[in-house]
Amino acid sequence: MRKRKVQRDISNRRKNVIILLLGTLIAIGPFSIDTYLPAFKQIAGDFGVETSAIGLTLTTYFIGIGLGQLAYGPLMDKYGRRKPLIVGLTLYILMSILCGIAWNLWSLAFFRFFMALGGCAGMVASKAVVRDYFDKDKVADVLSTLMLIMGVAPIIAPTVGGFIITTFHWEVVFFSLAGFAAFMLFNVVYVLPESAEPNRSTSLHPKRVAREYWSIYKNKDFFLFSTTRGFAIGALLAYVASAPFVFIEYFEMSEDMFGYIFGGNAAGLILGSQLNRLFLRRFTTFQITFTIAILMAILTMGITIYSFWIAPQFWVIYPGLFTMLFFIGFQNPNVTALSLQPFNLQAGSASALVGAVSMIFGSIASTLVAQLLTDSIMPLLSIVTFCSIAGCIAVVYYKVQYGRGYAFAKAYYHHPHRIKQRQEAA
């Protein structure tokens, strides 16, 4: 099998430009979600449905992201990163325009599905390009930088969306997203170099693709860490899907105040991802992952128990959700890096699969919370607690199964089992 030629002979300055571009590509996902959240009531009014029914457009978007990433993985291994990315951004632009002219809830949900299929190309390509350009022990650090750029999106997106729907109308939100994607497409074409030589031996036959994904998924490292990431993203997307109900309806806040509240919580995600970079200089990726998993489980259990016995109160719920997102800021880049470590030639497919697993978990969590939220926020708290505990169990199982104490974690990358896996993957 021909080895993939990775282009590493670029300057540090050019790498910084590439990191900025990759972070913006990843940000298309959250920006596509958060910008139109303040418009839920306006869209529901125009379509003559309940506000909660607009949650269907979130669910179809999450499903589209999950399925789309599975398709882009082998495509980017076979044809390189740029060509599938250009096709995906073009599809995203077209579907964003169609979302702006949607005539009912079902048409909007349908177009949002294909909008996600296009947008998720940036999510797959970004992680794969990072894996192409940077050494394995630097991947988590670079992903944390991408999280900083991506984290700006949920801070400013609701504010931008709120301004658009008050000044214009909700359709302009989707036209604006199309314009943003067109700008990114220009940068991809003229700025982003190809980071991987096309691997023509990669098969696109469904059975071969399914077998390749299965071979990746049954890798113990990938299975446990992608599952941990899936539960973390499940908690995150359950919060995103329920945020308009929690703050606008349950705590009776204005749409403008919702933008500040939502953005403030997103700042916690950014803060965690950037502190993670500092912690990685002193601790291993697994050490941080293990500690954060335990703290997140304790936090969410505490909030849920308190709200069950006393009552859900804003001064408890808001700081609690902020801290949960702060922990996810640590967890997301670390478990992503740990999931991708065993793979070289399959980096594109592994990147796609880890994203798809996360979106599957996220789709289930967001759908459940949308169906269960009526007049209480306890369903949200129960779901994020379950996700946190389940993710903690996966990490603890890994530690117990494959090593005792942090001595193993310190030698993680150089463990003979990992070395053998990397040799086989190469």
Side-chain angles (χ1 to χ4, degrees):
M1 180 179 293
R2 182 173 56 179
K3 278 184 175 292
R4 176 172 291 145
K5 180 182 178 182
V6 179
Q7 300 176 357
R8 296 179 183 269
D9 56 342
I10 59 175
S11 65
N12 290 332
R13 182 177 180 181
R14 186 70 183 276
K15 281 188 177 182
N16 291 333
V17 172
I18 291 173
I19 290 174
L20 176 62
L21 176 56
L22 296 179
T24 312
L25 285 171
I26 288 182
I28 289 180
F31 215 82
S32 302
I33 297 170
D34 303 330
T35 307
Y36 89 125
L37 289 179
F40 269 31
K41 281 190 175 181
Q42 196 176 87
I43 297 173
D46 284 359
F47 291 160
V49 297
E50 297 292 331
T51 302
S52 59
I54 307 300
L56 174 66
T57 63
L58 276 176
T59 300
T60 57
Y61 188 84
F62 293 150
I63 293 173
I65 288 180
L67 295 178
Q69 289 182 91
L70 292 177
Y72 284 114
L75 286 172
M76 289 186 180
D77 282 337
K78 187 175 183 67
Y79 299 112
R81 315 306 187 203
R82 292 180 77 251
K83 290 181 180 178
L85 179 57
I86 290 171
V87 172
L89 287 174
T90 303
L91 176 63
Y92 178 93
I93 294 169
L94 176 61
M95 289 300 113
S96 297
I97 295 173
L98 290 176
C99 283
I101 60 176
W103 52 90
N104 58 29
L105 173 62
W106 293 104
S107 64
L108 179 60
F110 178 80
F111 294 140
R112 286 279 291 175
F113 172 81
F114 287 97
M115 181 182 176
L117 287 181
C120 68
M123 302 170 65
V124 177
S126 297
K127 295 192 290 291
V129 171
V130 168
R131 179 63 184 78
D132 293 337
Y133 275 124
F134 298 93
D135 296 329
K136 293 181 180 180
D137 58 346
K138 298 293 184 182
V139 171
D141 181 69
V142 177
L143 288 175
S144 293
T145 303
L146 297 189
M147 285 291 293
L148 170 62
I149 303 170
M150 184 185 73
V152 174
I155 290 180
I156 66 174
T159 303
V160 172
F163 171 79
I164 290 175
I165 65 172
T166 54
T167 307
F168 303 101
H169 206 248
W170 65 265
E171 294 94 338
V172 181
V173 170
F174 293 102
F175 297 147
S176 300
L177 290 173
F180 174 68
F183 173 71
M184 294 311 304
L185 178 60
F186 175 86
N187 284 309
V188 168
V189 172
Y190 293 103
V191 177
L192 184 67
E194 180 59 75
S195 64
E197 182 179 324
N199 184 5
R200 300 299 182 182
S201 63
T202 300
S203 174
L204 298 181
H205 191 279
K207 289 185 178 180
R208 291 281 299 276
V209 171
R211 282 200 295 267
E212 180 177 15
Y213 276 131
W214 176 245
S215 70
I216 295 172
Y217 190 67
K218 68 181 182 180
N219 177 281
K220 293 183 177 63
D221 290 10
F222 183 91
F223 174 76
L224 288 172
F225 290 122
S226 67
T227 299
T228 303
R229 185 180 192 269
F231 282 118
I233 297 300
L236 173 64
L237 296 186
Y239 157 74
V240 169
S242 62
F245 170 83
V246 172
F247 295 114
I248 296 178
E249 296 189 21
Y250 189 83
F251 288 119
E252 299 180 344
M253 294 184 172
S254 66
E255 293 177 351
D256 291 339
M257 183 59 67
F258 169 75
Y260 292 112
I261 293 294
F262 195 87
N265 275 344
L269 192 72
I270 297 177
L271 180 61
S273 67
Q274 296 315 293
L275 287 178
N276 181 57
R277 298 183 65 196
L278 300 178
F279 277 74
L280 284 169
R281 298 175 184 176
R282 186 171 182 179
F283 305 99
T284 67
T285 307
F286 182 77
Q287 283 178 308
I288 299 172
T289 298
F290 181 81
T291 303
I292 293 297
I294 294 176
L295 292 177
M296 188 169 164
I298 294 173
L299 169 74
T300 52
M301 281 192 296
I303 297 172
T304 302
I305 293 172
Y306 179 89
S307 299
F308 179 78
W309 287 107
I310 309 299
Q313 298 172 321
F314 178 80
W315 67 270
V316 174
I317 301 300
Y318 180 65
L321 292 175
F322 175 91
T323 308
M324 182 188 77
L325 294 178
F326 173 74
F327 288 152
I328 293 175
F330 279 87
Q331 207 71 320
N332 188 25
N334 290 335
V335 292
T336 300
L338 290 170
S339 298
L340 298 179
Q341 268 189 343
F343 305 101
N344 185 15
L345 290 177
Q346 296 173 305
S349 295
S351 172
L353 186 57
V354 73
V357 170
S358 299
M359 285 302 106
I360 290 171
F361 279 75
S363 298
I364 294 173
S366 62
T367 301
L368 284 175
V369 77
Q371 295 296 321
L372 296 175
L373 280 179
T374 52
D375 57 355
S376 172
I377 64 173
M378 289 307 298
L380 167 64
L381 298 180
S382 300
I383 289 172
V384 298
T385 300
F386 172 81
C387 289
S388 300
I389 293 175
C392 181
I393 291 173
V395 174
V396 171
Y397 174 82
Y398 184 90
K399 180 175 182 293
V400 172
Q401 188 75 11
Y402 299 106
R404 294 183 178 181
Y406 287 127
F408 171 80
K410 291 179 180 178
Y412 173 82
Y413 183 70
H414 301 288
H415 192 280
H417 175 64
R418 305 283 133 11
I419 295 175
K420 182 179 179 181
Q421 285 183 331
R422 291 195 296 275
Q423 291 174 344
E424 291 176 349

